[in-house]
């Protein structure tokens, strides 16, 4: 079996996930891990599938012909075993303003920390008005990284960009 990572984007409509899943199954593939969302009227998803190696090209071709999908990218996955890493979970909450993700991701990268998953959302602030920015970041630090130093940098950044960041 070959691991493929599919990135699909199209106009949101009922049945789009079923159509992608049908193509994967028709080609002997197994739907494994995914993140799917409706964003501003568009459907966006990233899906990890395993498929017999001899059917990978046919799967790629079939996906590109699906009605309503504007972008379909297929990337071969890697079977390399991940290096030992420490997991960090950050929760971010504050008034929304440009640059929060840029500053946070740059600070993590400078410490050698890699973002594995990130979800973000903006919503109306219930009492104060304005918009709130909320994020959850699951990140991985190489085994030798000083987590206390990462925490210190995150605390410094939180004060600088005026958001609350908690590190689990």
């Amino acid at each position: 079996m070959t691991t493929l990572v599919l990135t699909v984007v199209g106009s949101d409509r009922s049945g789009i996930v079923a159509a992608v899943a049908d193509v994967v199954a028709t080609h002997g593939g197994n739907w494994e891990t995914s993140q799917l969302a409706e964003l501003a009227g568009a459907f966006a998803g990233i899906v990890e599938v395993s498929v017999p190696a001899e059917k990978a090209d046919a799967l790629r071709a079939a996906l590109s012909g699906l009605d309503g999908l504007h972008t379909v990218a297929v990337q071969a996955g890697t079977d390399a075993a991940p290096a030992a890493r420490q997991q960090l979970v950050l929760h971010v909450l504050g008034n929304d303003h440009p640059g929060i993700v840029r500053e946070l991701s740059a600070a993590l990268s400078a410490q050698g920390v890699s973002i594995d998953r990130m979800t973000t959302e903006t919503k109306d602030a219930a009492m104060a008005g304005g918009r709130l920015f909320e994020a959850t970041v699951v990140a991985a630090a190489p085994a030798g990284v000083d987590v206390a130093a990462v925490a210190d940098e995150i605390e410094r950044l939180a004060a600088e960009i005026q958001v609350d960041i908690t590190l689990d």
Side-chain angles (χ1 to χ4, degrees):
M1 297 293 268
T2 296
T3 300
L4 300 176
V5 178
L6 316 176
T7 304
V8 293
V9 178
S11 299
D12 191 34
R13 65 172 171 80
S14 177
I16 198 163
V17 174
V20 173
D22 184 54
V23 170
V24 170
T26 298
H27 289 83
N30 184 43
W31 187 295
E32 296 183 12
T33 305
S34 64
Q35 294 287 320
L36 311 169
E38 181 276 328
L39 301 168
F43 168 80
I46 187 163
V47 183
E48 177 187 351
V49 300
S50 57
V51 64
E54 65 276 6
K55 294 187 178 183
D57 290 336
L59 173 62
R60 284 184 178 99
L63 287 168
S64 66
L66 277 178
D67 183 43
L69 290 180
H70 308 301
T71 303
V72 177
V74 179
Q75 172 71 39
T78 177
D79 293 329
R85 307 181 317 165
Q86 303 171 73
Q87 184 178 29
L88 307 172
V89 179
L90 294 88
H91 301 281
V92 182
L93 180 64
N95 291 325
D96 186 35
H97 58 84
I100 296 172
V101 172
R102 179 189 65 216
E103 296 296 331
L104 180 59
S105 61
L108 292 171
S109 177
Q111 297 288 322
V113 176
S114 176
I115 295 173
D116 286 343
R117 285 186 311 280
M118 179 171 66
T119 58
T120 65
E121 179 181 22
T122 59
K123 55 187 171 188
D124 291 331
M127 301 298 243
R131 301 284 290 168
L132 289 176
F133 175 84
E134 190 170 0
T136 300
V137 178
V138 178
V145 167
D146 181 359
V147 175
V150 173
D152 289 345
E153 177 60 17
I154 294 304
E155 286 179 23
R156 183 205 61 76
L157 176 65
E160 180 180 314
I161 63 175
Q162 299 178 336
V163 298
D164 292 326
I165 303 176
T166 56
L167 177 63
D168 293 343

